[in-house]
Each structure stands twice: as C-alpha cells, then as structure tokens.
Amino acid sequence: MATPPSLCIEKLKQALDSAEIGQHPVEVHGALVGLICGGVNQAKLAWQKPLLELMNDGQAVSTELQQLINELFQDTATRLSDAEFGFTPLLPEEEELLSLRLECLALWVQSYLTAIALIQPKLNGASTDVREIIQDLGAIAQVEFDVSDDDESEAAFIELHEFVRMAAILCYSEFGPEMPLDEESPLAPLH
C-alpha cells in the first residue's frame, strides 16, 4: 500500500527543515515532476544536479534528505510511466482546509513550471496542446487562495487537481523518455 500523502509530506518537511531548506515538500515534488516531464536524463542520477539547483542553489543535501528525494523520484517516474496513469501530484489530503490545498497546488504548479522550463529548452516548439496547457498551468499557479470551504469550491478544486495531473501526463508523453517496447508486444521488432 502506498504511503499516504500526509505522511510523505510530513517526513519530507522534517528532512527539509533539518537541512534548513526553505522549500515546501509540494514544491520539491513539483520540481521533480517538472524535470521528469521535461525529459531530464534519468540515468546515473543525472536529474539530481538540476533538482539541487532549483531547491538548494546547487548545494548538496544530507544523506537522509537525498534518500527521501531519490525514493520520491523513483516512485514518481514509475507512476508517470505507468499505463494506468497512477500518477498524482503530492498534495495535502482532503481533510486539510481547501485554502491550504489550493495554496499547495499553486506552489506545486509553480515549481513544476520552473523545472520543466529549465530542462526543456524546446518548450516554445512543443505541440499546440502542450503550449496551451503550459499557459493554463501559469494561470493556476497564480490562483487566489481565498476560497469558501463549500461543495462548489471543493468540486472546482477537484477539477483543477485533475487538470494538473493530466497536464503533467501529457507533457511527459511529449518530452519524457521513450518507453522501451515489451518483448511480448506485438509492435516489437522481430529478429
């Protein structure tokens, strides 16, 4: 069973605080996802350098924090490449106030956009769909946090969350690594 987001966020927050890094865990996850969706080289931990530039001015972090980030990276990369779309942004659970969840979604999107722009120099040459999605994500990153805790606002948040999730998956499908064909795939070349 997967670790609930609240436990993952709390554990990462403690490690970030211990390392005196002023980032929220959702920002770290947003940056990770942006790097992965932008097509960062995943071999030999090459993704760590751009992530550390984004979250800690390129400085190394503690072993404990690095281990948590490595685990989060592997889990996220696996979920993004999953055909069943098991990926979702790391955000506080629905028990939290809607205004907090909305603020965290905006932080996540800001970090995502910064990371994908850093790693994907051809963003302006992306497909029309991806360029439009990037513009929409820019608007979400600037969303107002003063919302009512009612059913209508909750439904709107769920729609925003789903849009962000699908936007990341679409960007990953455009810029992410080519997935190797399965040996048993009917499309695999015959030798």
Side-chain angles (χ1 to χ4, degrees), residues 98 101 147-157:
L98 181 58
R101 289 183 285 141
V147 294
S148 304
D149 229 344
D150 58 28
D151 290 342
E152 187 177 318
S153 297
E154 185 68 35
F157 174 80

Side-chain angles (χ1 to χ4, degrees), residues 36 42 45 47 69-79:
I36 295 168
Q42 296 182 27
L45 306 175
W47 57 270
I69 292 170
N70 289 351
E71 290 170 11
L72 188 59
F73 181 89
Q74 289 305 318
D75 180 66
T76 302
T78 300
R79 289 176 185 274

Side-chain angles (χ1 to χ4, degrees), residues 63-188:
T63 305
E64 176 195 7
L65 179 55
Q66 189 61 59
Q67 181 61 37
L68 283 172
I69 292 170
N70 289 351
E71 290 170 11
L72 188 59
F73 181 89
Q74 289 305 318
D75 180 66
T76 302
T78 300
R79 289 176 185 274
L80 277 165
S81 65
D82 182 69
E84 298 296 316
F85 301 122
F87 166 76
T88 189
L90 179 66
L91 296 171
E93 296 182 74
E94 62 186 45
E95 291 79 23
E96 296 292 338
L97 289 174
L98 181 58
S99 58
L100 173 68
R101 289 183 285 141
L102 187 59
E103 181 180 358
C104 286
L105 180 64
L107 286 173
W108 190 96
V109 170
Q110 288 168 8
S111 291
Y112 174 85
L113 289 173
T114 301
I116 199 169
L118 173 74
I119 207 69
Q120 188 45 255
K122 299 177 185 168
L123 205 52
N124 289 336
S127 69
T128 303
D129 288 344
V130 167
R131 286 193 320 266
E132 287 175 6
I133 280 177
I134 296 294
Q135 286 179 338
D136 292 342
L137 288 173
I140 291 170
Q142 298 174 19
V143 72
E144 294 291 322
F145 307 131
D146 188 22
V147 294
S148 304
D149 229 344
D150 58 28
D151 290 342
E152 187 177 318
S153 297
E154 185 68 35
F157 174 80
I158 290 169
E159 283 183 35
L160 276 179
H161 182 269
E162 183 61 13
F163 177 84
V164 168
R165 186 180 86 79
M166 292 308 294
I169 291 169
L170 179 66
C171 290
Y172 180 78
S173 70
E174 183 150 334
F175 300 122
E178 292 287 323
M179 300 313 297
L181 292 174
D182 192 347
E183 295 278 330
E184 298 172 13
S185 170
L187 301 176

